[in-house]
Amino acid sequence: MHYSIFSVLSQAWKGQTGWTPMWREPQPKRAYDAIIVGGGGHGLATAYYLAKNHGVTNVAVLEKGWIGGGNVGRNTTIIRSNYREPGNLPFYEKSLQLWEGLEQDINYNAMVSQRGVLNLFHSDAQRDAFAYRGNAMRLHGVDATLLDREAVRAMVPTLDLDNARFPIHGGLLQKRGGTVRHDAVAWGYARAADRLGVDIIQNCEVTGIRIVAGAVTGVETTRGFIGAKKLGLAAAGNSSRVAAMAGLRLPIESHVLQAFVSEGIKPLVDTVVTFGAGHFYVSQSDKGGLVFGGSLDGYNSYAQRGNLPMVEDVLEEAVAIMPSLSRLRMLRSWGGIMDMSMDGSPIIDKTDITGLYLNCGWCYGGFKATPASGFCFAHTIANDAPHDLNAAYRLDRFATGHLINEGGAGAQPNLH
């Protein structure tokens, strides 16, 4: 069913009895041309672009849980392309461009809201670094505006510019950044892929990868063996565990990243604000709740739960720049598993095993990268070669030294 005002009116006359499920619940076939492991945003987007852009429709997406239950529903919903390094900027700008046309493309309301992303700076050195990043963005045709202190005050009156522990001197604004409803992204891509013939198979965990004579032949699952000519791994925080089934040891670590939602309040913050002296970011949802995020938990983990010291740290940073939040009540929190690479940048590449492809190492950038990740991964799988936009995201860059050190933090994943 095509969603439109006419379908809504039609269903109103029918008493809302004609709506159909958004995607089928097919039984797995014996074999596919391509299997994508991971039914999150990246896996679903890959399946969608494989079918739409490359005509590869005999595709299955295998998800061990349910669609929307993984990292795609466990983030702070922010989209932006305010990166610095040449290897990252064009890729994330492509992603932002795809976000801008996504709802029309997949015929689904993902609530894309380009409300702006404002990165605060708190010292002269940080201002210079942000000016450097802003200039790099503009050289790549990406919008960026360096705001002074008074412009920030006018834009976000709630901020404490004068009495904060780290006084706010200004900010770098990307007006086209913003937020998207995260679970709607999963549902929209799943529905669009299903309409093109992709099988979305939930509650189907991959337990092994079968390799014969150096080539992938399929996967062992909790629902039996499924053959495949090509296999794409897009398992986010569990990438290292899934890749280990093929004998690969990836240069990534998994850490928990928590996010929080407050009680609903009247409109307070109409943009996304990040705290440059710490690591804190906040936006306001359409229901009125404030959505917070911060740094990683300090321990490697595959568990989707956080710890109280990090809760305290994030909320302290919130009150440090917005004291008015001190009496706000938190309603809930969640943890997503970040697959942190050693240079803060992702991996989209084929492997030495014929027919096996990797999509991992997304660090903090996974959600915002969803459309471009699917677009480039689909190209890589279909053509057995990377797209120009992900040519720098090679797996062997960690061996050859061609790193994309976006955070400038060296080979320490938990610092990126």
Side-chain angles (χ1 to χ4, degrees):
M1 177 184 294
H2 185 80
Y3 292 164
S4 68
I5 184 63
F6 301 107
S7 60
V8 172
L9 293 174
S10 172
Q11 289 302 317
W13 284 106
K14 297 175 182 176
Q16 309 296 340
T17 59
W19 297 109
T20 56
M22 287 174 53
W23 57 84
R24 300 165 293 125
E25 292 285 352
Q27 293 298 314
K29 299 178 186 175
R30 294 181 60 183
Y32 291 89
D33 291 337
I35 287 178
I36 308 300
V37 179
H42 292 221
L44 293 166
T46 300
Y48 171 67
Y49 291 115
L50 269 173
K52 179 194 172 193
N53 293 352
H54 305 283
V56 183
T57 58
N58 187 24
V59 177
V61 177
L62 307 184
E63 168 55 44
K64 72 174 182 179
W66 66 93
I67 298 301
N71 272 15
V72 69
R74 294 172 174 271
N75 53 71
T76 49
T77 77
I78 297 169
I79 60 171
R80 58 183 173 82
S81 62
N82 55 357
Y83 282 74
R84 184 190 62 190
E85 297 298 317
N88 281 329
L89 246 173
F91 174 85
Y92 282 96
E93 175 58 16
K94 174 67 175 180
S95 200
L96 192 52
Q97 291 171 3
L98 289 172
W99 282 118
E100 290 172 328
L102 181 69
E103 292 167 318
Q104 291 73 28
D105 186 23
I106 62 175
N107 181 228
Y108 198 83
N109 181 11
M111 301 175 70
V112 177
S113 173
Q114 291 183 283
R115 61 186 68 181
V117 173
L118 176 63
N119 300 118
L120 303 177
F121 59 78
H122 309 267
S123 66
D124 290 346
Q126 202 169 37
R127 178 202 59 210
D128 293 346
F130 279 26
Y132 173 28
R133 191 203 301 187
N135 287 332
M137 292 167 62
R138 294 175 71 90
L139 286 171
H140 282 80
V142 180
D143 65 302
T145 307
L146 198 65
L147 303 182
D148 62 18
R149 176 186 175 88
E150 295 310 313
V152 170
R153 190 196 302 276
M155 186 173 180
V156 190
T158 313
L159 292 170
D160 184 359
L161 280 80
D162 303 312
N163 304 303
R165 180 176 180 183
F166 299 99
I168 298 167
H169 294 323
L172 179 65
L173 173 66
Q174 185 182 25
K175 293 181 180 178
R176 291 169 53 241
T179 61
V180 180
R181 184 180 175 182
H182 47 190
D183 42 14
V185 175
W187 301 334
Y189 268 124
R191 175 175 173 272
D194 177 84
R195 295 178 72 189
L196 295 175
V198 172
D199 284 354
I200 297 167
I201 303 171
Q202 303 180 81
N203 301 306
C204 182
E205 183 175 359
V206 172
T207 57
I209 297 175
R210 189 177 294 183
I211 299 169
V212 177
V216 163
T217 60
V219 291
E220 305 287 351
T221 77
T222 51
R223 299 174 68 171
F225 175 77
I226 307 174
K229 298 176 183 174
K230 295 186 176 183
L231 180 65
L233 307 183
N238 285 297
S239 293
S240 56
R241 293 204 292 193
V242 177
M245 298 177 190
L248 299 179
R249 184 182 179 193
L250 300 181
I252 60 175
E253 294 180 358
S254 291
H255 290 258
V256 181
L257 180 63
Q258 296 182 75
F260 311 87
V261 175
S262 77
E263 61 186 325
I265 58 176
K266 292 183 178 180
L268 184 73
V269 183
D270 61 358
T271 186
V272 179
V273 179
T274 75
F275 178 27
H279 193 191
F280 167 79
Y281 31 99
V282 58
S283 63
Q284 189 162 18
S285 75
D286 295 309
K287 293 190 292 186
L290 296 186
V291 183
F292 302 125
S295 296
L296 301 169
D297 282 12
Y299 304 97
N300 296 87
S301 176
Y302 294 110
Q304 292 174 319
R305 58 177 181 270
N307 60 50
L308 290 175
M310 188 52 65
V311 175
E312 183 178 17
D313 180 72
V314 171
L315 298 185
E316 280 180 344
E317 293 193 40
V319 175
I321 60 171
M322 295 183 179
S324 59
L325 303 184
S326 61
R327 300 186 68 180
L328 193 67
R329 287 174 291 191
M330 293 296 108
L331 291 188
R332 57 192 173 90
S333 66
W334 60 86
I337 311 301
M338 304 296 105
D339 43 332
M340 305 296 295
S341 69
M342 302 296 166
D343 63 353
S345 300
I347 300 164
I348 305 177
D349 200 5
K350 60 181 184 179
T351 71
D352 292 335
I353 300 170
T354 303
L356 181 63
Y357 304 85
L358 283 176
N359 180 321
C360 61
W362 288 99
C363 303
Y364 290 93
F367 180 70
K368 64 184 71 66
T370 299
S373 169
F375 179 88
C376 291
F377 199 33
H379 178 99
T380 303
I381 293 172
N383 298 288
D384 199 37
H387 190 279
D388 288 345
L389 291 170
N390 67 295
Y393 295 160
R394 297 172 58 91
L395 175 61
D396 66 2
R397 71 176 188 269
F398 300 97
T400 61
H402 295 85
L403 304 180
I404 313 168
N405 197 5
E406 182 69 40
Q412 282 189 267
N414 62 340
L415 296 181
H416 282 285

